[in-house]
Amino acid sequence: MERNAVDKPEDASLLKVLGNWDVLALGFGAMIGFGWVVLTGDWIGSAGTLGAVLAMTAGGVIMGVVGLTYAELTAAMPKAGGEHNFLLRGMGPRWSFIGSWGIVGGYVTIVMFEAVALPRTALYLFPGLNQVPLWEVAGSQVYLTWALVGAIAAVVITTINILGVKFASVAQTFVVVLLLVIGLMLVVGSFTGGSTNNMEPLFTGGTTGFFAVLVVVPFLFVGFDVIPQSAEEVNIPARQIGRLVVIAVLLASIWYVMTILTTSSAMSAAELGEADIATADAFGAMFSSDFMSKLLIAGGIAGILTSWNSLLLGASRLMYSMARSGMLPAWFGKLHPKFRTPINALLFIGGLSVVAPFLGEAMLGWLVDSGSPSIVIAYLLVAVVFVVLRRREPLMDRPLRVGGKGNGGLLIGGAAVVLCIGLLSLYLPGMPAFLDVPPWILFGVWWALGAFFLLRIPTRITPGEDAEHRLLDALKERRALATGSSSR
């Protein structure tokens, strides 16, 4: 008989094997996905070079403030699941579920996005990849060979994660190093083959252009929160885990600003607007070499793999934690007997990423748009619970206390709340990021499924340090009553 999640055994624990660099590579790599390769030209076209830089810097500041709240809470509660634990202690199980479900939804959509982005990128390197037509989705023809590239990669990355978090982190480190080499070459190429004249116009589009860049921030920066998800597998001091959250956000901000400046220096705005993949074409123009364009695409593939690997790891740990608390079926809480990884959660998310490429290229935009609001909802709740815990539990053990012991921390938390509300408002009708119908459908389906699980969580459990234990006890009591009723 399968063990139920509420009978959580004490020996069913994750392995503490990750060091400083492993954690930083996971967080930074998760944020540097595919967007910097294909979207940079659009950012420059929408806001101009400096307009795009200012919008991205503003986005980095927003994520940095939110990251500070994560840093303190992660250091205080270094357990797998991140948001799940913060909200459970500060706001109770139902709010914990909502925040956790939001971030899982964001992670899953981006994992599926990367499974579609990989064959899209491979097509740039291998123009003859489209063979054996299958069907059309939203006007996009799906080819068997194209879809198999993403599906096979999904099987490989899922397998890597099943084999152990340390194995996955080694693979992550290798790919992040390749990505950093590509970034260094972008900077060198900009100085040797770029021109500041190409950066004109510096500003365009006014506030509309600025917000057109700002709305992609949740999608671009999601991933620093993978660090809290893997906190239970980290073998470094809790205070250092929190610091690495902020460092990862800072590095990602520098990366995106660097990409905008180097790309705009290589080609004029008009040329970038006509480019197939702007950053790759710009890289080739810097060195007057088609080979260098293809090398940049290799960097894009590296970004896909780092983001994919990190977010698969984060999503599986969060689903494992939710199952461990009884919020999700026990099946998601099963660990591999040898590798101590949440195998069923990995198989579930990996299965979705295998299917995604067969839905075609149209899924790229839908997945990004449907996942971003869920991510911001989770960030908003974390900012709120940061303030709640600062006021309710001022003596709580906080190895890393942002803003000091005075009101500085409350100011940071309040700022994070306001900034997240501002980001969320951009998705409302009439605003720049208002979603089309297909993304709203995906968003609605995800939250409808979440509502099914949410309504099964007892309402009488109050917040507190032992909220998880009281939730498990309540679920055991409910199960015992149900078993007694059925036996009669």
Side-chain angles (χ1 to χ4, degrees), residues 43-44 46-58 199 201-207 209-214 260-261:
W43 302 337
I44 296 169
S46 297
T49 299
L50 289 187
V53 166
L54 288 177
M56 197 58 64
T57 302
M199 293 183 174
L202 298 180
F203 297 94
T204 187
T207 56
F210 178 87
F211 283 116
V213 179
L214 187 63
I260 293 169
L261 291 174

Side-chain angles (χ1 to χ4, degrees), residues 50 81 99 135 157 169 174 184 197 200 203 279 281-282 303 366 406 420 435:
L50 289 187
W135 44 71
I157 291 180
S169 70
F174 175 80
L184 180 60
N197 293 329
E200 298 286 347
F203 297 94
T279 307
D281 290 347
W366 296 352
C420 286
L435 307 181

Side-chain angles (χ1 to χ4, degrees), residues 162 194 196 259 302 343 462 473-474:
I162 291 173
T196 55
T259 302
I343 182 169
T462 56
D473 289 340

